[in-house]
Amino acid sequence: MADRVAIFDTTLRDGEQAPGYSMNLEQKMRLAKQLELLGVDVIEAGFAIASPGDFESVRSIASVIDHTTVASLSRALVKDIDRAWEAVKEARKPRIHTFIATSDLHLKYKLKMDKQQALEQAERMVRYARNLSPEVEFSAEDAMRSDRGYLARVVERTIAMGATIINIPDTVGYTTPDEMGGMISYLMNTVPNIDKAILSVHCHNDLGLAVANTLAGIKAGARQAELTMCGIGERAGNAAIEEVVMGMKTRKDLYPYELNIDTKQLYNTARLLSNITAVPINPSKAIVGANAFSHESGIHQHGMLAHSETYEIMRPESIGIKQTTMVLGKHSGQHAFNHRMKELGYELDAELSRKLFEDFKHLADKKKEITDRDLIAMMESGTQSSPQIFELDNFVVNSGNLMTATACVTLMRSGKKMQAVEMGTGPVYAAFKAVEKIVRKSFVLDDYQLRAVTEHRDALGEVLVKISDAHGEYRGRGVSTDVIEASLLSLLSAVNRMFEANESQMEQSSDHSGSEKAKSWEPLPADALERDMKVTGTVKDDVSKEV
Ligand code: KIV
Ligand code: ZN
């Protein structure tokens, strides 16, 4: 039994499939590069046949990744496998990952096949894929609810056809650790040619057991784990990379296996995912949540001061959280700035370093001390990859408890200024209505969250919004010392994503961006604004008092 567990990352496929986590090509490429830096063994870059966009992202990722295997998912169908191969064939290490369901339920109701037919299809398609690709992985979808004897037969035959990785998914998150361990041991002991392949586990989290099931599978002999960053994925998600990896590292006594992961990249990878998708990391999230290493109770603090191991099983540094008391200020120069950014794990090219240093100087004018968290927030907003269709030019808001809030917002689009004035029950509401009026497209504000990035009164405020239209959901993030500005920036990044996602709407709107038309656009009917701007989200943290 190999003593190494391969980490197969499916953040860009199973993770991206989850509502609210869709990413554009540039975002996927950035994340893929970071996953390579993290040291995952395989990046499942997408499901090539799902759409031309998916195909393009798998192909592009395959062409930029240096030494990590790049896989594409495909059903056990010739056209899927051809498309998957077309997308990954330029990778240094390509892999086709093909699957067919094996449970009675899926066979009967979804595939309308009997067991023999599905077995033969799996055999044919693995052989077909193996003729194209040097490496083929086969997954038996819904394996954990499949008849064991039949599953063992499918595993044996697909190995005989050339699959060298056999994945056992708990597709619906139904299994328990004992069952998963039992299944892997059973396959290890029953399948005659099992030494020709490695077994893999892929666990969904519907019962909150994905990580426990993955670890049980590894203990029983699985040598590949399919995981996603922060556990994102279908429904309740997949097993989280950071939890499985730190579980194995921290309990090496139980899991004495080698991993290729550079755990110091875990924190930055989680932050990048959150930044790209504008989905905040739950503060209580194990390993990478903001509270994962903070100790509130007096007893714990006392213990920590006496000896950190009294209440801490991992060091924050081990996942890449840098502890420093060093602060930068307006007298800090470019050199000190670059040095600190490097220590925080960011390699900046000359242009980005110049741009961020300018942002830093502006911030230092408003804020006396710039901490690491400020720098991280600045870095994240300075490298946001939402399209720049509408940009904030300026805004003025008037509000108070004796008046109706009014906002005058000016946006830029293709070099032209567009302005609107709106009133609302609060300054954020009024400002959002003005944006909606300018972009001439209504949307529902599903969620609005405001939090302070750092502790002090002059803290940077971070706003995360989620909006939706008939076609989907779009998230945005904005950071500023001014919470109205942060709110507008986050709304604009979501609005820009909405426009990007719907090209026909973009076209329609660009008809209005000519100077004549820009002057003469009609406001949306007031009742439409009232209807669509229902604020259903939560406003969090103390800074909200300013809203
Ligand atoms: O959950 C699942 O069964 C899957 C397979 C397609 C691997 O994602
Ligand atoms: Zn899955």
Side-chain angles (χ1 to χ4, degrees):
M1 187 189 301
D3 252 357
R4 187 171 179 280
V5 173
I7 301 297
F8 175 110
D9 175 87
T10 184
T11 310
L12 292 165
R13 199 277 298 169
D14 221 334
E16 209 251 354
Q17 241 163 265
Y21 285 98
S22 62
M23 299 170 222
N24 65 27
L25 175 63
E26 193 264 332
Q27 293 167 332
K28 286 184 189 173
M29 307 249 297
R30 264 175 72 198
L31 191 56
K33 282 298 233 179
Q34 177 62 31
L35 289 167
E36 180 161 54
L37 208 60
L38 174 64
V40 303
D41 298 272
V42 185
I43 295 174
E44 185 166 53
F47 190 0
I49 198 149
S51 70
D54 272 53
F55 175 83
E56 203 39 50
S57 5
V58 180
R59 209 185 55 79
S60 309
I61 291 171
S63 67
V64 296
I65 290 300
D66 292 327
H67 47 263
T68 311
T69 297
V70 178
S72 170
L73 186 66
S74 70
R75 288 166 300 183
L77 297 172
V78 167
K79 62 177 182 192
D80 279 42
I81 293 172
D82 284 343
R83 199 78 177 132
W85 177 241
E86 205 44 43
V88 295
K89 69 179 185 201
E90 298 302 334
R92 293 271 289 276
K93 294 188 199 158
R95 180 185 292 184
I96 293 177
H97 175 195
T98 189
F99 73 97
I100 196 166
T102 50
S103 67
D104 289 349
L105 265 170
H106 279 236
L107 289 174
K108 183 167 175 196
Y109 295 106
K110 190 179 79 174
L111 298 177
K112 300 191 182 10
M113 281 182 178
D114 64 25
K115 284 183 166 145
Q116 186 58 25
Q117 287 170 318
L119 171 63
E120 285 171 13
Q121 182 74 3
E123 284 181 314
R124 269 195 304 272
M125 291 304 105
V126 168
R127 193 174 47 219
Y128 183 76
R130 188 60 190 80
N131 278 332
L132 297 172
S133 172
E135 196 166 66
V136 173
E137 169 171 342
F138 171 75
S139 281
E141 193 190 10
D142 207 16
M144 292 307 294
R145 293 191 301 167
S146 302
D147 169 62
R148 272 185 167 202
Y150 174 63
L151 181 64
R153 177 84 185 128
V154 173
V155 171
E156 181 191 343
R157 292 306 306 150
T158 48
I159 295 175
M161 294 298 115
T164 50
I165 305 99
I166 302 291
N167 185 38
I168 305 299
D170 178 23
T171 303
V172 292
Y174 175 74
T175 209
T176 63
D178 286 349
E179 256 175 16
M180 179 52 96
M183 179 65 98
I184 298 296
S185 303
Y186 167 78
L187 294 172
M188 299 283 293
N189 294 324
T190 319
V191 176
N193 53 358
I194 199 71
D195 58 319
K196 306 272 179 324
I198 64 165
L199 282 175
S200 164
V201 283
H202 174 117
C203 301
H204 280 271
N205 204 30
D206 299 66
L207 294 174
L209 294 172
V211 170
N213 290 338
T214 302
L215 291 173
I218 290 170
K219 190 119 191 82
R223 288 296 172 265
Q224 175 179 280
E226 300 201 354
L227 311 167
T228 61
M229 211 50 226
C230 297
I232 70 169
E234 284 279 339
R235 308 180 309 279
N238 291 55
I241 293 188
E242 64 279 13
E243 295 178 23
V244 170
V245 165
M246 290 314 286
M248 287 177 67
K249 291 262 179 191
T250 309
R251 297 307 310 271
K252 195 135 178 130
D253 52 330
L254 299 178
Y255 308 99
Y257 316 115
E258 293 307 315
L259 288 170
N260 190 45
I261 297 291
D262 174 3
T263 61
K264 292 200 165 67
Q265 291 294 338
L266 283 169
Y267 185 66
N268 276 356
T269 313
R271 298 278 329 177
L272 178 64
L273 174 67
S274 165
N275 186 31
I276 282 177
T277 57
V279 180
I281 303 174
N282 179 344
S284 306
K285 170 78 193 63
I287 320 291
V288 294
N291 298 343
F293 292 97
S294 64
H295 299 265
E296 283 293 320
S297 113
I299 297 176
H300 287 206
Q301 285 172 352
H302 177 242
M304 284 289 294
L305 288 174
H307 194 296
S308 71
E309 278 176 29
T310 50
Y311 284 102
E312 204 168 58
I313 58 167
M314 297 166 275
R315 300 291 304 150
E317 295 82 0
S318 64
I319 63 149
I321 297 179
K322 309 282 183 323
Q323 310 276 52
T324 177
T325 49
M326 182 176 132
V327 286
L328 299 179
K330 68 175 174 189
H331 300 297
S332 307
Q334 174 103 50
H335 183 74
F337 172 79
N338 283 353
H339 182 74
R340 190 68 204 130
M341 291 305 261
K342 195 160 180 194
E343 281 182 343
L344 289 171
Y346 299 120
E347 291 291 342
L348 309 179
D349 61 31
E351 195 192 324
L352 186 58
S353 146
R354 225 180 358 262
K355 176 182 172 302
L356 290 177
F357 186 62
E358 251 174 56
D359 294 349
F360 163 78
K361 282 287 178 189
H362 285 135
L363 185 60
D365 274 341
K366 296 181 190 160
K367 223 174 159 281
K368 221 171 90 207
E369 293 185 338
I370 311 278
T371 64
D372 285 349
R373 281 164 69 191
D374 291 318
L375 292 175
I376 292 170
M378 220 182 65
M379 168 75 193
E380 289 175 348
S381 60
T383 54
Q384 262 200 59
S385 45
S386 47
Q388 301 290 302
I389 298 167
F390 293 98
E391 285 177 86
L392 181 62
D393 187 71
N394 64 66
F395 68 94
V396 178
V397 287
N398 275 313
S399 95
N401 60 356
L402 299 176
M403 63 185 292
T404 305
T406 316
C408 174
V409 176
T410 308
L411 304 184
M412 294 284 286
R413 179 173 187 180
S414 312
K416 296 193 177 70
K417 289 193 180 187
M418 307 161 92
Q419 192 175 70
V421 180
E422 274 295 342
M423 294 197 297
T425 46
V428 173
Y429 183 33
F432 281 16
K433 277 172 78 177
V435 169
E436 192 175 41
K437 192 172 180 181
I438 295 171
V439 305
R440 297 172 57 93
K441 167 132 184 49
S442 41
F443 49 83
V444 178
L445 179 62
D446 296 315
D447 196 15
Y448 173 95
Q449 295 187 27
L450 169 62
R451 68 176 190 104
V453 172
T454 43
E455 287 85 13
H456 303 296
R457 286 180 193 203
D458 58 357
L460 279 175
E462 178 186 54
V463 173
L464 296 159
V465 299
K466 186 170 93 179
I467 62 172
S468 58
D469 67 2
H471 308 280
E473 294 178 0
Y474 317 92
R475 294 176 184 266
R477 175 175 175 278
V479 174
S480 169
T481 47
D482 180 306
V483 295
I484 310 292
E485 184 171 25
S487 303
L488 279 166
L489 291 172
S490 71
L491 180 67
L492 283 174
S493 75
V495 162
N496 285 335
R497 283 173 194 216
M498 175 170 74
F499 272 73
E500 184 195 44
N502 192 325
E503 279 182 25
S504 61
Q505 282 160 351
M506 232 165 100
E507 297 253 348
Q508 187 191 333
S509 175
S510 64
D511 287 347
H512 298 296
S513 66
S515 52
E516 281 313 300
K517 286 182 176 163
K519 271 187 235 146
S520 64
W521 42 253
E522 299 284 346
L524 289 167
D527 64 336
L529 289 172
E530 294 300 332
R531 191 183 59 241
D532 292 328
M533 290 295 291
K534 262 187 287 163
V535 178
T536 54
T538 46
V539 178
K540 294 192 173 157
D541 281 1
D542 280 343
V543 193
S544 64
K545 291 183 189 121
E546 292 179 48
V547 178

